[in-house]
Amino acid sequence: MNKIAAIALFSLFSMSCNESKQKENTESNTKSETIRHDHEMDSHGMELNKGSKWKADSSTNNNVNSIIALIETFKTGNDKSIQAYQQTVAGLEAGLNKMIRECRMQGPDHDALHKWLEPLINGVKDLKQSTTEENAAVAWGKIEAQVHLYDQYFE
C-alpha cells in the first residue's frame, strides 16, 4: 500500500511540475512574441546594441562598401531608364550573393545584420520586378535608404 501511495504521490508531483513548466513556457513565448512584435513596429526594424553599433567583420564591411559604391554610381548617372535599373539590379544581386556567401558573422551581431539585410533583399526583388520607371524609382528609394542605414548601426 505504501508503494502505491508513493507512486501516486510521485505521479501527481510530476504532473504538476510539467503543468507549471508548460505555463512558464507559454508565458515566456507570449512575452517574446510581444517584444518581437514591438520591434517589428519600428520604422526599419533596427536598433543599436545597447547604444553602440553592432560589430561587423571586414568581409561584410567590404561587401557593403561595394554595394554602396554601386548605388552611388547609379545615383550620379543620368540614365534612369528601366533598363538601367535592371542592369543595376544584376550588380546588387551579385553583391548581396557575395556578401551572404562570405559571411562568417555569428551571434547577436549576425542577427542584427539580418534585420538590415532582409529589407534590402526585398527591395532588390521589388526593383527587379518593376516594369515602369516610376515603380523602379520607388523601389530604388527604399534600397538606397536601407543601404545608408548600415553606417548608423554597424562598424
Side-chain angles (χ1 to χ4, degrees), residues 104-145:
R104 302 293 178 259
M105 292 174 59
Q106 296 180 352
D109 296 305
H110 183 257
D111 296 341
L113 180 65
H114 274 266
K115 285 185 179 181
W116 173 81
L117 191 57
E118 288 176 23
L120 180 59
I121 291 170
N122 290 333
V124 172
K125 285 180 186 176
D126 290 346
L127 181 59
K128 186 175 185 171
Q129 294 172 355
S130 295
T131 55
T132 66
E133 291 175 13
E134 292 79 20
N135 290 344
V138 170
W140 180 262
K142 291 177 184 177
I143 291 168
E144 192 174 0

Side-chain angles (χ1 to χ4, degrees), residues 48-81:
L48 291 171
N49 182 10
K50 299 176 186 170
S52 299
K53 291 182 179 183
W54 298 97
K55 306 286 185 210
D57 62 10
S58 61
S59 174
T60 300
N61 285 330
N62 290 338
N63 284 314
V64 170
N65 287 333
S66 294
I67 290 171
I68 290 171
L70 181 65
I71 286 174
E72 291 303 316
T73 298
F74 181 83
K75 185 177 169 182
T76 58
N78 293 328
D79 187 3
K80 303 296 187 253
S81 66

Side-chain angles (χ1 to χ4, degrees), residues 17-41:
C17 284
N18 286 338
E19 287 177 8
S20 176
K21 285 182 183 178
Q22 287 176 346
K23 184 178 179 184
E24 287 174 12
N25 287 341
T26 301
E27 289 174 0
S28 176
N29 288 342
T30 302
K31 287 179 185 175
S32 295
E33 288 176 11
T34 301
I35 290 168
R36 185 173 46 87
H37 289 298
D38 287 346
H39 289 299
E40 288 174 354
M41 291 178 4

